Amino acid sequence: MIVKIDYDTKGNYEAVYTITFDGDSLRGFLDENEAKVSFDTEGTEVIVRVVSDITITDKTEKENEEVSSNSETGSNPSSENNTSASDPTGTNENTNKSPNKDTGTSHQHQWQPHYAERWVSNIVTVVDVPEQKVSGARFYVKDAQGNLVAQGPTYWFENGFTLDDLKEIIKNGIKNADDEGFYEGVYYGNYQNVTKTIPAVTHEEDQGYYEKYIDYYFCSCGATKGAE
């Protein structure tokens, strides 16, 4: 539990201080000095919690207590600030002594890092189906000038279509060709080898990761500060 101490308000506070030791260093120190402690020293880190009672006193109340104490002992506060007649050089040890000031309980922050996690994005392209090269056969037809051009039907060796299927098409075309060797306007006596590219099928996904970082620092007294 972290107890926040209000140094502007008098009262009694119970503060818990957490001290973290490196386990190997602590055990080595104890062995070297033949010392013992009352807490468990096993583990990579040894964490000790110390409970301390802290009393915050009102400044005016403290000064009144000091004046009352001086009156009871018969001391004269004003005489302590004047040079003694028997010491004209002003070397009296009580001369010009500053009055005591109550500065309250001194506390030095022991900052501990607080960690959090954040997602680091990493967008990558995943190939579901790779790019493919597909072969085919394109037959000839006549153009407007009567020349043979490879602009006829094209058969691609894909989706189960094989070379044997192509041979059957050629056989049927030649068998049923007219006197000029054409069947339904297509010349099946020869064909052109062609190739086409089928693009890869892909998708994008985030293959990122979580990283640990310090988002702020905190002290056992309840104080915090931003990450540097």
Side-chain angles (χ1 to χ4, degrees):
M1 179 179 68
I2 297 177
V3 178
K4 184 173 182 181
I5 300 175
D6 185 355
Y7 291 100
D8 295 326
T9 304
K10 68 178 182 178
N12 295 322
Y13 297 87
E14 183 182 88
V16 179
Y17 295 92
T18 301
I19 306 172
T20 302
F21 297 96
D22 176 77
D24 292 336
S25 299
L26 176 60
R27 290 186 289 274
F29 175 82
L30 295 175
D31 292 341
E32 182 180 348
N33 294 273
E34 296 183 354
K36 295 183 178 180
V37 292
S38 61
F39 51 84
D40 185 11
T41 61
E42 296 299 321
T44 303
E45 288 186 346
V46 179
I47 301 176
V48 180
R49 291 179 172 81
V50 180
V51 179
S52 176
D53 292 329
I54 297 177
T55 301
I56 305 301
T57 306
D58 183 78
K59 181 177 179 181
T60 303
E61 183 179 293
K62 180 66 176 177
E63 291 176 347
N64 291 337
E65 291 177 357
E66 292 178 352
V67 172
S68 175
S69 177
N70 290 333
S71 299
E72 292 175 358
T73 57
S75 61
N76 187 351
S78 61
S79 64
E80 294 181 357
N81 295 323
N82 296 323
T83 302
S84 171
S86 62
D87 187 13
T89 61
T91 58
N92 189 302
E93 65 178 4
N94 290 327
T95 301
N96 297 326
K97 184 180 290 184
S98 300
N100 292 331
K101 294 183 178 179
D102 180 17
T103 59
T105 303
S106 176
H107 172 72
Q108 184 175 2
H109 292 307
Q110 299 294 326
W111 297 114
Q112 300 293 328
H114 181 273
Y115 294 95
E117 286 188 341
R118 61 189 170 194
W119 179 257
V120 179
S121 183
N122 180 33
I123 304 299
V124 298
T125 300
V126 178
V127 177
D128 301 310
V129 180
E131 179 182 275
Q132 299 179 64
K133 298 287 186 180
V134 180
S135 299
R138 181 172 294 155
F139 290 95
Y140 289 88
V141 294
K142 283 185 179 182
D143 62 8
Q145 288 74 35
N147 300 316
L148 286 177
V149 292
Q151 296 179 356
T154 303
Y155 297 90
W156 299 103
F157 296 106
E158 61 181 351
N159 301 323
F161 185 82
T162 66
L163 182 60
D164 290 337
D165 296 326
L166 180 65
K167 289 179 179 179
E168 286 296 323
I169 293 174
I170 295 173
K171 181 180 178 180
N172 183 65
I174 294 175
K175 178 181 179 180
N176 296 287
D178 57 18
D179 294 339
E180 294 183 351
F182 290 86
Y183 174 61
E184 295 182 349
V186 179
Y187 179 71
Y188 286 96
N190 197 6
Y191 62 85
Q192 185 182 67
N193 292 312
V194 291
T195 303
K196 69 176 180 178
T197 300
I198 300 177
V201 179
T202 64
H203 72 277
E204 289 188 344
E205 62 183 46
D206 192 347
Q207 296 183 359
Y209 59 93
Y210 284 101
E211 70 172 5
K212 193 175 182 180
Y213 72 101
I214 298 173
D215 55 351
Y216 67 88
Y217 291 86
F218 67 92
C219 178
S220 59
C221 70
T224 62
K225 70 173 182 177
E228 297 176 353

